[in-house]
Amino acid sequence: MAQLLKPCIRYLDVFAESTGRVVAWLTFFMVAITLVVVILRYGFSTGSIILQESITYLHACVFLLAAAYTLKHDAHVRVDIFYRGFSIRQQAWVNAVGSIVFLLPLCGFILFVSWDFAANAWNIFEGSNNANGIPAVYLLKSLIPLMASFLILQGVSEILKSLLVLTEGGQNND
């Protein structure tokens, strides 16, 4: 069974890793654009709505599209008062049950609810409420179901990793 699961886990993990690394570069652009906005505002008494909105778009991309990367690296928020003292097998049980009972249903719900939300935005090519804003709110809203999909994929990877730990007696060698 391990021979079947390991390639699948590797593929899902590479996808999350690649996505996270690409999205991480957006933080550089977010900082650079923020610097430009500040210089324009305080140095030249002018501003740009498109630049200001682009910061929000970039922040949304980073936050939503890096969630699976964060899960992969076990960097998500966890109250680990008990977890850190658990054995590897007990942690695998917690991870598997948590992913099956909480993560996947929540992501499924987000995907279900956000699908029409994003589709409606695409139907009207929803744009900014500001006159000179970015005319692509529909792209921004599409990030929500995309985030849920990425998290589902990484959640499956985490469940499979836990399954390997449980079936191989605590040995998880990728």
Side-chain angles (χ1 to χ4, degrees), residues 95-134:
N95 291 340
V97 170
S99 293
I100 292 168
V101 172
F102 298 112
L103 179 66
L104 294 183
L106 175 65
C107 289
F109 175 75
I110 291 170
L111 187 59
F112 177 75
V113 170
S114 66
W115 191 264
D116 284 341
F117 181 67
N120 290 336
W122 273 88
N123 283 339
I124 62 171
F125 290 106
E126 185 177 355
S128 175
N129 289 333
N130 295 311
N132 295 326
I134 299 174

Side-chain angles (χ1 to χ4, degrees), residues 16 22 29 73 93:
V22 168
F29 294 109
H73 287 278
W93 274 109

